Amino acid sequence: LERVARDDSSVAGPAVAASALVELLGRGGGDVVVDEKDDALVRAIDEAAEQCGLRLRWPDRKAEKAMAAKQASALSEALQKCVDAHISGAKPTMKPDDALVALLGLYYATKLGRCVLLPGKAVTGAVARLRGSLDDDAYAALETFHAIVTAALRDGSDVDESRAALYDKLQEALAFAV
C-alpha cells in the first residue's frame, strides 16, 4: 500500500467507498471468495483504497515464489533448531504453538508457494486448507501435531508434560515439509 495525494472535492469519502465494498462483498450471502479475475471486486477494492488515499499493488507471482522459498528456508532452519534442541535435551527454541504456526507457514511456502502470517484463530482453517495439497501421511502428521498442541492449550496443562510427544510429532511433520 502507498499513500497517494488526492483531491478531497472529487471523492465521496472513505465511508461511502467502504459501504460500497461491504455491499459488494455481501452479495455472496456471507461466503466471500476473492478471485483476482472478479473485475467488479477488484475495481471496488481499488476504489475503496483510493478513497482512503491508498494505492494497492497486486502481488507479483514470481516475486512471491522467491519470497516463499526464502521464508521456507528460514522457517525450516528455525524448526530444525527447535527439534535439535529437544533431541539434545536442551530447552526448545520455540513454544509448541509458535512451532505449529511456523510449520504451517513452512507447508504453505513449500507446497503452495505462498507466504502466510497466521494469527492463532486462523490455524484450524489453515490446517484444513492444506488437506488436498499434502499427501495423506504429511497431512496426518500435521493434523496430529495440531491436535496435540490444541489439546495442551485448551486444557491449560503444562506443555512440559507432553513435550516429548509434541516435539516428536513436530519432527515427523517437519520431515514431510522439506
Side-chain angles (χ1 to χ4, degrees), residues 115-131:
C115 294
V116 296
L117 180 61
L118 299 167
K121 292 181 179 181
V123 169
T124 301
V127 170
R129 166 67 175 85
L130 286 169
R131 182 180 304 267

Side-chain angles (χ1 to χ4, degrees), residues 6 27 72 88 119 127 134 150 166:
R6 62 183 172 98
R27 72 177 182 214
S88 69
V127 170
L134 302 176
T150 303
L166 279 165

Side-chain angles (χ1 to χ4, degrees), residues 75-161:
L75 290 172
S76 178
E77 184 178 317
L79 287 167
Q80 192 58 54
K81 283 182 183 178
C82 182
V83 168
D84 291 345
H86 167 68
I87 291 171
S88 69
K91 183 177 180 181
T93 55
M94 61 175 69
K95 298 185 303 185
D97 50 333
D98 294 335
L100 176 61
V101 171
L103 182 65
L104 282 168
L106 178 60
Y107 273 122
Y108 270 82
T110 57
K111 305 302 182 188
L112 302 176
R114 301 280 186 197
C115 294
V116 296
L117 180 61
L118 299 167
K121 292 181 179 181
V123 169
T124 301
V127 170
R129 166 67 175 85
L130 286 169
R131 182 180 304 267
S133 302
L134 302 176
D135 62 36
D136 293 339
D137 294 335
Y139 186 76
L142 174 63
E143 198 172 41
T144 303
F145 183 64
H146 175 243
I148 293 171
V149 171
T150 303
L153 291 173
R154 186 177 349 152
D155 297 341
S157 63
D158 186 11
V159 177
D160 289 333
E161 296 172 6

Side-chain angles (χ1 to χ4, degrees), residues 40-57:
L41 179 60
V42 171
R43 273 195 313 276
I45 292 171
D46 283 337
E47 288 171 11
E50 186 177 322
Q51 296 294 325
C52 297
L54 301 172
R55 181 182 343 200
L56 296 176
R57 290 187 184 184

